[in-house]
Amino acid sequence: MIASTQRRIKEKRESTMPQTENLRPPKELVDGFVGIGTAIIASMMRSEFNRLRHVAVGVHSLTPGHHVVGTAVTLQFLPRREDLVSGTAEEDTEKRSALWESIMAIQDGDVLVVDARGHMQTGVAGEMLMTGIHARGGRAIIVDGCVRDLAPAREIGLGIFARGATPANAGFFELYPWDHNVPIGCGNVLVLPGDIVVADDDGMVVIPPQIAADLLALCRQKAESEVFEKMMIARTGNVARYHPLHKDAQYEYEEWLAADKPTDPSWRPSPAQE
Amino acid sequence: MIASTQRRIKEKRESTMPQTENLRPPKELVDGFVGIGTAIIASMMRSEFNRLRHVAVGVHSLTPGHHVVGTAVTLQFLPRREDLVSGTAEEDTEKRSALWESIMAIQDGDVLVVDARGHMQTGVAGEMLMTGIHARGGRAIIVDGCVRDLAPAREIGLGIFARGATPANAGFFELYPWDHNVPIGCGNVLVLPGDIVVADDDGMVVIPPQIAADLLALCRQKAESEVFEKMMIARTGNVARYHPLHKDAQYEYEEWLAADKPTDPSWRPSPAQE
Amino acid sequence: MIASTQRRIKEKRESTMPQTENLRPPKELVDGFVGIGTAIIASMMRSEFNRLRHVAVGVHSLTPGHHVVGTAVTLQFLPRREDLVSGTAEEDTEKRSALWESIMAIQDGDVLVVDARGHMQTGVAGEMLMTGIHARGGRAIIVDGCVRDLAPAREIGLGIFARGATPANAGFFELYPWDHNVPIGCGNVLVLPGDIVVADDDGMVVIPPQIAADLLALCRQKAESEVFEKMMIARTGNVARYHPLHKDAQYEYEEWLAADKPTDPSWRPSPAQE
Amino acid sequence: MIASTQRRIKEKRESTMPQTENLRPPKELVDGFVGIGTAIIASMMRSEFNRLRHVAVGVHSLTPGHHVVGTAVTLQFLPRREDLVSGTAEEDTEKRSALWESIMAIQDGDVLVVDARGHMQTGVAGEMLMTGIHARGGRAIIVDGCVRDLAPAREIGLGIFARGATPANAGFFELYPWDHNVPIGCGNVLVLPGDIVVADDDGMVVIPPQIAADLLALCRQKAESEVFEKMMIARTGNVARYHPLHKDAQYEYEEWLAADKPTDPSWRPSPAQE
Amino acid sequence: MIASTQRRIKEKRESTMPQTENLRPPKELVDGFVGIGTAIIASMMRSEFNRLRHVAVGVHSLTPGHHVVGTAVTLQFLPRREDLVSGTAEEDTEKRSALWESIMAIQDGDVLVVDARGHMQTGVAGEMLMTGIHARGGRAIIVDGCVRDLAPAREIGLGIFARGATPANAGFFELYPWDHNVPIGCGNVLVLPGDIVVADDDGMVVIPPQIAADLLALCRQKAESEVFEKMMIARTGNVARYHPLHKDAQYEYEEWLAADKPTDPSWRPSPAQE
Amino acid sequence: MIASTQRRIKEKRESTMPQTENLRPPKELVDGFVGIGTAIIASMMRSEFNRLRHVAVGVHSLTPGHHVVGTAVTLQFLPRREDLVSGTAEEDTEKRSALWESIMAIQDGDVLVVDARGHMQTGVAGEMLMTGIHARGGRAIIVDGCVRDLAPAREIGLGIFARGATPANAGFFELYPWDHNVPIGCGNVLVLPGDIVVADDDGMVVIPPQIAADLLALCRQKAESEVFEKMMIARTGNVARYHPLHKDAQYEYEEWLAADKPTDPSWRPSPAQE
């Protein structure tokens, strides 16, 4: 019943990334992306990695200003069916459900990524469960659906990314937590347990661990050159010359690097020689 | 990694339904629903089985007039990611994917139920694959998403239920066939492999096998009384008296049953005695 | 608690249309629109009656080819709330609800127009109730929402217009029949009890009775000239000359009228004299 | 023309709640919910009151951080029709409309709840009208649709909950204020005049007055135990033990209560004896 | 003001396709696609032409069974603004609008493709204009939006593809015909004047003329092999072996070709030799 | 190929507004609207200028509190097609695209208004390009679609109005920048190059230059009287008397004007004489 697709992925991953007991990529690798915006990551993944599909749609920040990097623990919701879930002792039932299991699986540096099928009446987690994620070292919850207790939850320190908030709790109306650490879709993008996720005010990107090291190097290079580009655009308004850097202005960038990246307004590249 | 929820379902199911080698319910039980409309089934499941959630939304008939009953084989699509699926030899890849596996798993009396996440640019199956389903004894394909080759596919004899049609093939744009015979959502309703599905011009309902026998008895009783109700409403326009049958008109129904269910216009119940 | 808006409408209507006991406009007036397409009515209402908002959106024919004209009986659904509707004896409750009341209010020549708030999981009426509407002389049911039992209902002879079909019955999930013969919205257009409604494969238009006579005269005139226009366009492909009729071609139309509207291909207007 | 449904509701309500002249529940009862989050209320209503449907969808806070409790005054919009509303003296017309009537009906402690049918181009109220609501003692405006003048309106002190903001005013494009203090739908939930509404950053819940006292007691109990649960989860990350409180940890909670609810980190329950 | 993008397209096109006076590709080339389904074209364009984006979304057949091939004449709608379009003599204004111009530009073998921005209340063309398109040799109208007069228009013989039908006419509510034979979007796909369009029950695909000859050859080859594949799947149900054709079954196909493509059930390939 | 519609607009505009070399209206005229809210502008345009359609839908502020006035430079996206845009050197291609051209066309006081067809996966501009707009004197970017780099972009000082944010860059997935300074739709409203746009927390309105002077005078008058209205409503809660100003209260306003618009609470109009 395990499709060959999944076998192939497992094989590919085992052959391309360092094995850790729990499938998590090395923490140094993950934390390399701290401070790198999702927009730079998205640009680099697209131009250098064959248009890899990795940008979530519809999931946005409910804690503006938070930039979050972590390793994915996944949680899958499916439509609820009353013959399978007893209605009499709901919370007790939920407690033994995949929702509680997924939170107990959170380790330091993890992010809980949830496929709630875009449902707007399922508040996947509230203040209690998000406090638990935070206490276990989790950095964010990212939900293709909703959260609840938004006002107190914003005080916890956790990054919260979702489609919105609702007073209704998980399993309340139509969905039920079904399984955890299985492949899911979130914002129309595939997330596997152990993937690296980065989220900020633009949304979420997903990075396969096997390309992370190469990607990180490219992003750092890009981030550095954008410091120069932004400085020069702010002075001149000339996006055609400075973004992306035109070959005629390449020598200016090199002078800037040679001058140890000065940021004071008095610095000037030498005039072009034509 | 298998959630306790799934264990409980398996245990419950094993204890409540006759075991068959392949988890399919007995064919006589399934085929008992032939000729019973989804609307009657939905009414009975709701009023007698604790508001069980079982009616699909958004999936409609592309072969109007087809009434289909069968056992669910399920297929799960997830968002496609290019690091996991090679783009160079696509069809060869797909052939070893869960899509081909799911069709080769079809047996006589089955229905392929597909979770394509409501995507409007993924034509899950075309003329070739639908011919295969039909040749293996499959009765319908039911897709939360799209099919393709609709014009020739309508000639095959298979029931086709979906959100629409598109020229784009499976895995074309954003989704990829991921696994088969796992629990899925289809039209916001949960479908397990081995569930009984009934579909007609109103849409699809899903019947858990363990309630099927009781449900069938109720539906047959309801269908019979509606023959009488409809006849009397057509004559009188009195829905308040005849649907559902008012206790004052109960004796008329009993007379009709006693008269062996006459349908000719000359038959009349005896006048009410007040 | 009755808003002054409603008082003003009532006053305006009483002063502009012939009073009938039950607020229905004269049947001859209503039936004058038989055979006039909704597209012509919409054009005339817009160009001659101050852009009157009257064209429903999203409600389409489930019985293609049916052209229906009638007087509106209205039915209003609102979200269901369990403290107000007992769940134990559902059908009995519904029977005393506004749904049954609205059907018992149907008279010969009426159309039941339903505000089900665009809900896709509420099958407002099924085979039994639609049989009742038909038996009472009703001509159509027009629902901003869904119907059920679509396959057998199509055989009844009633026009059926809705957003779609579902196996779920009225009050099943989220809505409940609340009141009848009150002002409603249907497809984003206001419908008052007693309004004239026309529906065909294009959708529905609503005609205030006080403008019906003037509007009908304009529509008939337009329909007649379009017979000529269509004939000439089919021969020449010249939409710029014949639709709408250019003043240079006005004399041709007059010759055609004078010749008693010939339709055989041999008839020709005299050549233009320039 | 008044449906029996409405009669039954009125009868039920009259028999279960203290009668006030204007149908408003006692203010002490309403204000008991101050400080209780909508998420706790939603949980309690669901688990203890038969899955009562009461959580609004799609209406969110435009004044984040505001927690609002009040008694509902309702306002119903319907699609606008030009034969009923003169276009020549618009504002004068509106002033005598249900919109102005509803605001003049606001009393101290009320909340204006508006059914604008989810329309995104109808700014139901702007700075002037919201100033009026506030001046009359109103606490919030909750709109299934939009408001306008959002920037200055945020300074008034009123809670503002809606789908969004638009420069377009009420009645501008497609809707018109039709009636006030009638039953309405708002965010797919029924609101009756006199219902208790609570709104915060999660959205809105509606509380029928007849269950308010019982519900309040349950919510207070829950809120108290969550203080303990959150403290222990923050220390241990053990959501399985502390939320909801496992029976093995029940004695800890009792010790905490006995110790007068200490919140300093040095307090510890005695170790479990196994 | 003409962007360099457009210059480059023009240059590329001029260098890759045979020049005709009116930018239309040779008719023999266009008509080569008659009888080739959009699903085969979509598959071939994707696998052989670099995932070229060319499949429309949301535009479906209103004349089921019609298979249409033609050359695109395009029409662009934009939001209407009353300062630019006089409201007093609407039809006269429209007649000199881009809508009438686009129809007068139709030649034998053309298809009118319309960007109506997905609007559901703009009936782009009715019976009169569609009669004109047909009389001029046009084969279809394809609208990202709606048409009107659907019932009589279905009798004309024109293929009609759209999102739906409405009684409202072009320019009625919110859009106005702005320009013709400019680049447009239709169903999220770019259409240039002179592109080849194919439409059937699956929807529409757009073929750039410069790849048409190569694409056609591939499609014909594929269509031929699918005759064999379908025959063998219908007999065996073995999609894994026959679609796409497995290399082990390649010899069977060659035998079938050698035998002049027999279709009678008695024909059999020789057994595999293993 | 230029439609007569466009000719007529150009003629009308040339005859009604002062000619500037670059079609921009005089800067004093544009800047007159600084401090006037979009809601007042929308009200005045509707009541005094024949219901002119000018209010954008779905485009909201991502920089709350910003009130922006400027002259429109427009940018049109269309669906991307790979035969027209080389995938190998994307950024180089984009740099010569209409996106770069539009930014280089920005002058002091301009606003870039973008038709990105409502697409949620196209981040039209990021930190670099928005820095360029700001450096050139641009005041805002208004996008019917998304932006990227939202967190750093909020620091630039530019007003940002869009449907949302995404990490994906322009041309990433489905759209491509096609042309600039052509007529576009943005939020379902037409925008011509040179139109005056005003945006704030309510959204965007578009003002045709030829009505700007008259409109401005009306808005200023309205804004002044609303100072009085708001003061009196805040004191009395009487919206029926003070908004819009009832004729019975007209003398109070005149007294207030005569008293030089006092705002201290001790000022009172003289009592009404009845």
Side-chain angles (χ1 to χ4, degrees), chain A residues 60-81:
Chain A
H60 58 272
S61 179
L62 301 182
T63 48
H66 278 237
H67 170 80
V68 174
V69 174
T71 303
V73 168
T74 65
L75 172 61
Q76 177 197 32
F77 277 72
L78 281 179
R80 174 193 175 98
R81 216 168 72 187

Side-chain angles (χ1 to χ4, degrees), chain B residues 38-39 42-43 46 51 54-55 57 201-202 205 222 226 229-230 233-234 237-241 243-246, chain C residues 80 90-91 95 100 103-104 121 127-129 131-132 135-136 148-151 154 165-167 169 171-172:
Chain B
T38 57
S43 286
R46 169 179 174 252
R51 304 195 206 169
H54 60 279
V55 175
V57 187
D201 289 4
D202 285 358
V205 295
K222 178 81 171 170
E226 287 201 347
E229 292 178 16
K230 184 176 177 182
I233 292 170
N238 193 340
V239 295
R241 180 176 182 88
H243 182 73
L245 200 60
H246 195 278
Chain C
R80 173 195 178 96
E90 201 68 48
E91 285 207 323
K95 200 160 178 171
W100 265 251
I103 291 173
M104 295 304 281
Q121 275 186 290
E127 189 186 5
M128 296 297 125
L129 298 185
T131 297
R136 303 182 70 84
R148 58 202 291 259
D149 284 326
L150 184 56
R154 276 173 166 148
T166 172
N169 55 311
F172 197 103

Side-chain angles (χ1 to χ4, degrees), chain B residues 134-207:
Chain B
H134 188 251
R136 303 182 70 84
R139 294 172 177 177
I141 181 169
I142 301 176
V143 186
D144 193 344
C146 290
V147 296
R148 59 203 290 260
D149 284 326
L150 184 56
R154 276 173 166 148
E155 307 300 317
I156 294 170
L158 201 68
I160 306 175
F161 299 80
R163 288 189 185 264
T166 172
N169 55 311
F172 198 104
F173 278 111
E174 296 192 13
L175 295 184
Y176 195 78
W178 189 263
D179 208 348
H180 82 287
N181 273 342
V182 292
I184 60 168
C186 180
N188 290 343
V189 65
L190 184 75
V191 185
L192 303 182
D195 278 341
I196 300 169
V197 296
V198 185
D200 59 19
D201 289 4
D202 285 358
M204 171 181 70
V205 295
V206 180
I207 304 168

Side-chain angles (χ1 to χ4, degrees), chain C:
Chain C
M1 201 173 281
I2 300 294
S4 58
T5 304
Q6 287 175 303
R7 281 197 303 275
R8 285 199 312 280
I9 292 163
K10 189 160 173 299
E11 290 162 17
K12 174 178 296 188
R13 192 160 269 193
E14 285 171 359
S15 65
T16 56
M17 57 174 278
Q19 286 303 302
T20 65
E21 189 190 322
N22 56 18
L23 290 182
R24 285 175 175 84
K27 201 158 178 194
E28 317 80 73
L29 180 62
V30 176
D31 285 351
F33 288 93
V34 171
I36 310 280
T38 56
I40 281 185
I41 295 169
S43 285
M44 289 297 103
M45 285 182 79
R46 169 178 173 252
S47 58
E48 308 299 328
F49 294 92
N50 190 28
R51 304 195 206 170
L52 189 60
R53 215 168 305 256
H54 59 280
V55 175
V57 186
V59 177
H60 57 271
S61 179
L62 300 182
T63 47
H66 278 236
H67 170 80
V68 174
V69 175
T71 303
V73 167
T74 66
L75 172 60
Q76 177 197 33
F77 277 72
L78 281 178
R80 173 195 178 96
R81 217 167 73 185
E82 285 70 8
D83 61 317
L84 304 175
V85 182
S86 143
T88 46
E90 201 68 48
E91 285 207 323
D92 187 57
T93 302
E94 283 188 350
K95 200 160 178 171
R96 286 174 291 137
S97 79
L99 174 53
W100 265 251
E101 288 182 300
S102 71
I103 291 173
M104 295 304 281
I106 293 283
Q107 299 182 7
D108 187 48
D110 285 350
V111 168
L112 184 65
V113 187
V114 186
D115 181 355
R117 301 178 83 84
H119 202 264
M120 295 312 286
Q121 275 186 290
T122 299
V124 156
E127 189 186 5
M128 296 297 125
L129 298 185
M130 289 196 259
T131 297
I133 295 170
H134 188 251
R136 303 182 70 84
R139 293 171 178 180
I141 181 169
I142 301 177
V143 186
D144 193 344
C146 290
V147 296
R148 58 202 291 259
D149 284 326
L150 184 56
R154 276 173 166 148
E155 307 300 317
I156 294 170
L158 201 69
I160 306 175
F161 299 80
R163 288 189 185 266
T166 172
N169 55 311
F172 197 103
F173 279 111
E174 297 192 14
L175 295 184
Y176 195 79
W178 188 263
D179 209 349
H180 81 286
N181 273 342
V182 292
I184 60 167
C186 180
N188 290 343
V189 64
L190 184 75
V191 185
L192 303 182
D195 278 340
I196 300 169
V197 296
V198 184
D200 58 19
D201 289 4
D202 286 357
M204 171 182 70
V205 295
V206 179
I207 304 168
Q210 67 270 27
I211 69 163
D214 291 349
L215 175 63
L216 181 55
L218 288 163
C219 288
R220 283 182 170 155
Q221 194 172 359
K222 177 81 171 170
E224 186 187 74
S225 73
E226 287 201 347
V227 172
F228 174 75
E229 292 178 16
K230 184 176 177 181
M231 181 182 73
M232 296 309 291
I233 291 170
R235 289 185 190 176
T236 67
N238 193 341
V239 295
R241 182 177 181 89
Y242 291 110
H243 182 73
L245 201 61
H246 195 278
K247 66 177 165 31
D248 294 351
Q250 183 65 31
Y251 81 93
E252 297 186 22
Y253 180 48
E254 280 153 23
E255 287 184 11
W256 179 74
L257 288 177
D260 212 18
K261 308 177 195 167
T263 55
D264 63 297
S266 64
W267 180 84
R268 299 231 168 280
S270 37
Q273 296 170 328
E274 286 172 272

